[in-house]
Amino acid sequence: MRPRNVIVHCTKIAPVARATRYVLAVFQVEITARDGARRREVFEQPEITIGRVNGNDIILPAGNISKRHARIVFKDDKYIVVDLKSTNGTYVNGRKLTSPLVVRDDDKIYIGDFLLAVGPPDDLVDDDDTLEVDATELRLLAAIAQRDETSRIVYADWLEDQGEAVRAEFLRAQDLLVATAVDDPLFRERSDRMRELAAAIDVSWRYKVARPLIENCMAVEFECPRDWGSLATTEKRNVRYCGSCEKQVFYCSTVDDARRHTQRGHCVAVDIVPLRHPRDLEPERRMMMGRMMMMPPPRKP
């Protein structure tokens, strides 16, 4: 039986040198104004500020917005909202922030007259033309996309020759993990090493070579036998197509992102980096307020 991508323990292992970095969209913020106008901002840095003046990453030009009103931080696969001692406050689901708060992509963030939602980037399109790779690497990646397993070994050797030891080890460790049974004593050790290596490599490259199992497939009674690497590519780098169930499969870099897709009935492949727990893709139970909390009248900053 193929191993499941469920890791709940870590072991102490040697540190990994940083690998070559690629351009990566870290998260997006969707902004809705009072008149219904909507826009989306995508950010490649893990921290942004929000305010009404220039110098902020998101500018909300309104009188009830402070000059530096709030901050959003992406850390440890979580989105954290911080109020920067603003005059009128920052609210999440109607409650005023008094300390930094971890939010999910279905939470509603209120800043002045604006509604914000934060989450992983939607509909990422492949950026091969912008990646600093040569023709040999492009040919090998294309062969891997066509499910040529031999090309994975050749690619790992090529990467090592280019001084890319981290990515080369990732490919080899991944093949070892795929061939390791869950009850094998080596499974946990190899899983931990995979996670350590993956954390040093941008997910934009892992989309192309990763092999996590498919989850939430409704076309099979038990565990889906397919993995991400066996699926047909599409024009979106985080979406592939399964010919067996004739459905799209979404590659998710966080458990929250995967849960969001599974709640919509989507098949998912979850990245190796997030710590996994049994049944972690099931909807979380959340307490609902018995009445709507009214926002206080704004004061001038």
Side-chain angles (χ1 to χ4, degrees):
M1 183 174 70
R2 289 288 301 281
R4 301 181 67 84
N5 185 21
V6 178
I7 319 296
V8 294
H9 298 285
C10 292
T11 57
K12 187 174 181 180
I13 54 181
V16 177
R18 302 305 293 178
T20 302
R21 305 296 289 180
Y22 292 95
V23 174
L24 170 65
V26 176
F27 64 93
Q28 71 177 26
V29 180
E30 188 174 88
I31 306 155
T32 306
R34 171 179 267 180
D35 61 3
R38 182 177 299 177
R39 75 178 195 268
R40 186 184 70 162
E41 302 282 353
V42 179
F43 299 96
E44 296 173 6
Q45 70 267 31
E47 181 175 321
I48 64 167
T49 59
I50 303 167
R52 76 166 190 268
V53 298
N54 291 332
N56 290 287
D57 299 288
I58 295 178
I59 301 174
L60 303 177
N64 55 1
I65 307 292
S66 295
K67 292 181 180 179
R68 280 175 50 85
H69 197 108
R71 177 185 294 121
I72 298 176
V73 180
F74 180 67
K75 183 179 180 181
D76 298 329
D77 292 322
K78 295 180 175 63
Y79 306 101
I80 305 167
V81 178
V82 183
D83 183 75
L84 300 178
K85 298 182 179 180
S86 63
T87 302
N88 291 311
T90 302
Y91 294 77
V92 176
N93 300 331
R95 303 184 66 176
K96 187 175 183 179
L97 291 188
T98 57
S99 61
L101 180 69
V102 175
V103 298
R104 302 189 321 195
D105 52 14
D106 57 349
D107 286 325
K108 296 179 179 179
I109 305 167
Y110 295 93
I111 296 180
D113 294 330
F114 296 87
L115 169 63
L116 283 70
V118 61
D122 287 336
D123 301 335
L124 293 176
V125 178
D126 209 340
D127 293 322
D128 276 344
D129 292 340
T130 67
L131 298 181
E132 296 181 0
V133 294
D134 67 16
T136 299
E137 184 165 10
L138 288 176
R139 285 196 299 271
L140 288 168
L141 287 170
I144 290 172
Q146 296 300 315
R147 284 85 76 191
D148 181 355
E149 296 301 316
T150 304
S151 294
R152 291 179 177 274
I153 301 172
V154 176
Y155 188 28
D157 292 342
W158 183 87
L159 286 170
E160 190 169 44
D161 290 342
Q162 304 303 309
E164 290 277 4
V166 175
R167 290 199 287 159
E169 185 181 351
F170 177 89
L171 286 173
R172 292 170 179 146
Q174 180 172 245
D175 284 345
L176 281 175
L177 183 61
V178 166
T180 305
V182 177
D183 56 358
D184 190 313
L186 291 174
F187 180 73
R188 182 180 299 169
E189 178 184 340
R190 290 172 177 173
S191 298
D192 290 338
R193 186 56 179 170
M194 276 286 296
R195 179 180 292 106
E196 182 77 5
L197 291 164
I201 305 168
D202 265 358
V203 71
S204 57
W205 180 77
R206 299 203 303 274
Y207 285 138
K208 303 174 186 297
V209 299
R211 301 183 65 181
L213 291 175
I214 308 306
E215 301 181 57
N216 201 49
C217 180
M218 303 302 178
V220 293
E221 186 176 357
F222 300 105
E223 180 181 296
C224 179
R226 306 295 296 275
D227 66 45
W228 176 258
S230 69
L231 305 181
T233 58
T234 71
E235 73 276 5
K236 299 172 184 176
R237 65 186 179 188
N238 65 327
V239 180
R240 290 196 176 181
Y241 181 77
C242 177
S244 298
C245 61
E246 299 183 340
K247 291 180 64 176
Q248 289 183 326
V249 179
F250 295 81
Y251 193 101
C252 302
S253 58
T254 68
V255 174
D256 277 348
D257 185 24
R259 190 181 299 116
R260 175 173 67 99
H261 280 291
T262 58
Q263 288 173 358
R264 298 176 181 176
H266 297 162
C267 297
V268 298
V270 184
D271 191 66
I272 186 69
V273 172
L275 285 171
R276 300 295 307 279
H277 303 281
R279 305 173 68 178
D280 57 3
L281 298 187
E282 294 183 0
E284 294 181 358
R285 293 184 178 181
R286 308 188 67 187
M287 296 297 292
M288 302 297 293
M289 299 296 293
R291 58 187 177 85
M292 183 178 294
M293 297 185 66
M294 301 301 295
M295 304 284 279
R299 304 194 305 273
K300 295 261 185 186

